């Protein structure tokens, strides 16, 4: 089935009369509806919904939310302008990170902002980031001592933030600031998720240590962004990077964009850029520890591609197995496990009526683990992405960067760094769990292991 064939009809068309109301997902409790099950085990809950229908209604307390469960319809949703970025997920993000950044804007402002940031992520811009990506990937392995316990959470955040900050906001000062940013962001994301799932507004204003730590990290994040912008301006330099593009961007009237928008844009790029990559690096390290046969295969591939030299950006395209390991890790543990949209008008999806204002939710985690789309769906099998087999995967059943106008601008940038990091760490070390390691899945704004602790052993 193609997207076009599932593209909704406007309710104004004659087909409107045959639109159905989506079924209510089973298991709703009085008053709470599905909320308890969603909070208790969101991954299992979202994964079971397809058994109830292609589009189903969920009751979350007094509210009705629509869940989309098939790959085709998630593609149709993401490509349909009747659905925009909005809803509880985005509202809570906006409150903390700002309202004027690309990740939360809609309409003409969003299109203008995408035009501003897109050149920094184009394929032909990537080689310019190669030296920083290489340096950071190798620095990671050089910091680790053989046999020492590695705290994968902080190490993954560190490399992700440093690459995003150094590549996109270039400047010598970034080395020291990237360190501060990674500490701030780790704290902010932890607190943001808590505030999203347990929205107890006043409680978060009480002077508990956790609240103070969150407020301090959030304030420092905003301060850092202001410092970065102010220093760039004061330097009088205009390197060819994303920060220059943001500072020189014009609004639709041709006037410079406001200070708040510049600030929110930097935040809106740094925050998704670090949490997602950091979570994926953690899962990659976990996969290398859990599947030594694939770690060995990656090492062999790197050695044969590089001839034993340090792996570099120019090798990334030839590292096909390594790339497949990254893709398969992202299939089973997508950093972005839940996405939401809001209907801006009465509309339809897959033959179901969706009223204006409805919140729609779907889970890339559920879609990418569905047995209807994947043979041996829970097996870690990087070879399923080999050319002969990848064609069996239904359209939109593997879209970890989403599709349509909100598609992640950083898909190539992210894949290049993830492949390079995986290659660099695998060339030097094999990994085994250390005492106290807990690789069970922690559900937050992204998915990541609770507390991954590994020992790196030289080959
Ligand atoms: C949007 C995933 C890395 C910047 C998105 C979306 C997804 C995603 C699924 C779309 C959200 C939606 O449809 O509602 C990922 C994954 C990453 C990654 C899986 C890495 C493993 C990055 C990086 C950056 C970045 C490294 C920047 C340095 C953004 C921005 C948006 C976005 C700015 C908002 C785009 C818009 O709304 O137009 N990302 N991302 N992402 N991502 Fe990423």
């Amino acid at each position: 089935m193609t997207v076009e064939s599932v593209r909704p009809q406007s309710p104004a068309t004659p087909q409107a009369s045959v639109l159905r109301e989506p079924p209510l997902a089973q298991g709703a409790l009085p008053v709470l509806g599905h909320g308890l099950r969603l909070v208790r085990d969101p991954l299992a809950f979202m994964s079971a919904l397809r058994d109830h229908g292609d589009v189903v209604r969920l009751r979350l307390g007094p509210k009705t939310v629509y869940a989309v469960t098939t790959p085709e319809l998630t593609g149709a949703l993401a490509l349909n302008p009747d659905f925009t970025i909005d809803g509880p997920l985005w509202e809570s993000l906006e409150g903390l990170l700002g309202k004027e950044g690309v990740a939360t804007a809609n309409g003409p402002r969003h299109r203008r902002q995408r035009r501003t940031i897109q050149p920094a992520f184009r394929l032909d811009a990537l080689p310019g980031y190669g030296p920083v990506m290489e340096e950071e990937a190798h620095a990671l392995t050089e910091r680790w001592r053989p046999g020492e316990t590695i705290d994968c959470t902080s190490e993954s955040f560190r490399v992700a933030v440093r690459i995003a900050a150094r590549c996109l906001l270039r400047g010598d000062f970034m080395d020291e600031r990237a360190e501060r940013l990674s500490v701030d962001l780790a704290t902010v994301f932890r607190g943001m998720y808590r505030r999203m799932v347990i929205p107890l507004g006043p409680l978060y204003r009480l002077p508990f240590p956790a609240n103070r730590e969150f407020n301090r990290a959030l304030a420092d994040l905003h301060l850092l962004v202001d410092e970065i912008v102010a220093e760039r301006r004061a330097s009088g330099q205009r390197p060819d990077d994303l920060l220059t593009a943001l500072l020189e961007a014009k609004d639709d009237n041709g006037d410079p964009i406001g200070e708040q928008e510049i600030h929110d844009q930097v935040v809106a790029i740094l925050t998704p850029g670090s949490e997602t990559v950091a979570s994926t690096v953690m899962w990659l390290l976990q996969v290398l520890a859990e599947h030594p046969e694939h770690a060995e295969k990656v090492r062999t591939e790197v050695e044969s591609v590089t001839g034993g030299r340090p792996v570099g950006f120019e090798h990334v395209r030839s590292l096909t197995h390594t790339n497949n390991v990254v893709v398969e890790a992202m299939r089973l543990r997508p950093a972005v496990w839940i996405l939401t949209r809001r209907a801006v008008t009465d509309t339809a999806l897959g033959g179901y009526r969706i009223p204006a204002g409805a919140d729609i939710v779907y889970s890339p985690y559920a879609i990418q683990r569905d047995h209807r789309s994947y043979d041996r769906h829970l097996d870690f099998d990087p070879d399923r992405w080999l050319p002969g087999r990848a064609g069996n995967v239904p359209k939109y059943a593997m879209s970890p960067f989403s599709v349509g106008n909100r598609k992640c601008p950083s898909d190539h940038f992210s894949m290049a760094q993830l492949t390079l990091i995986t290659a660099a760490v695998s060339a030097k070390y094999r990994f085994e769990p250390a005492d106290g390691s807990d690789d069970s899945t922690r559900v937050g704004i992204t998915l990541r292991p609770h507390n991954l602790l590994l020992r790196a052993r030289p080959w």
Side-chain angles (χ1 to χ4, degrees), residues 150-182:
I150 301 167
D151 176 350
C152 298
T153 311
S154 58
E155 289 299 284
S156 304
F157 257 104
R158 190 170 182 281
V159 71
V161 171
R162 288 179 65 89
I163 290 180
R166 290 189 61 205
C167 289
L168 303 170
L169 311 175
R170 240 171 268 216
D172 295 340
F173 56 84
M174 280 322 308
D175 281 2
E176 171 263 324
R177 296 247 165 89
E179 212 62 51
R180 238 169 98 197
L181 261 177
S182 58

Side-chain angles (χ1 to χ4, degrees), residues 288 292-304 319 321-323 325 419 422-427 459:
L288 293 171
E293 71 286 8
H294 287 296
E296 168 66 32
K297 211 169 156 187
V298 170
R299 183 186 77 87
T300 316
E301 179 179 72
V302 175
E303 197 168 291
S304 87
L319 295 168
H321 183 70
T322 311
N323 179 74
V325 165
T419 306
T422 308
V425 302
S426 307
W459 287 100

Side-chain angles (χ1 to χ4, degrees), residues 78 85 90 102-105 110 114 117 121 164 168 242 268-270 272-274 276-278 280 330 334-336 339-341 362 364 399-403 405-411 413-415 417-418:
I85 287 281
W90 302 106
V102 63
T104 46
H110 175 253
R114 282 296 292 232
I117 67 169
F121 294 103
L168 303 170
L242 185 58
I269 286 155
L270 273 183
S274 40
T276 50
V277 171
T280 310
M330 290 173 73
V336 180
L339 285 168
T340 66
R341 294 287 186 272
Y362 74 94
S399 303
F401 295 102
S402 191
V403 294
N405 67 340
R406 311 308 299 221
K407 179 176 183 228
C408 181
S410 166
D411 49 351
F413 179 86
S414 301
M415 287 308 294
Q417 60 172 306
L418 290 166

Side-chain angles (χ1 to χ4, degrees), residues 353-385:
R353 183 180 305 110
I354 310 285
D359 285 326
I360 299 107
V361 63
Y362 74 94
S363 169
Y365 176 94
I367 297 282
Q368 291 169 197
R369 285 177 164 239
D370 192 336
H371 64 87
R372 301 162 190 88
S373 299
Y374 293 96
D375 290 341
R376 297 182 294 115
H377 58 293
L378 299 182
D379 288 4
F380 181 79
D381 176 13
D383 291 344
R384 69 172 84 243
W385 301 107

Side-chain angles (χ1 to χ4, degrees), residues 6 10 27 100 102-103 132 141 144 155 162 164 181 200 205 288 328 344 351 354 382 399 410 434 438 449:
V6 291
S10 153
E100 297 190 26
V102 63
V132 170
T141 65
W144 300 341
E155 289 299 284
R162 288 179 65 89
L181 261 177
L200 297 174
R205 288 196 283 276
L288 293 171
E328 183 68 348
V344 286
I354 310 285
S399 303
S410 166
D438 177 0

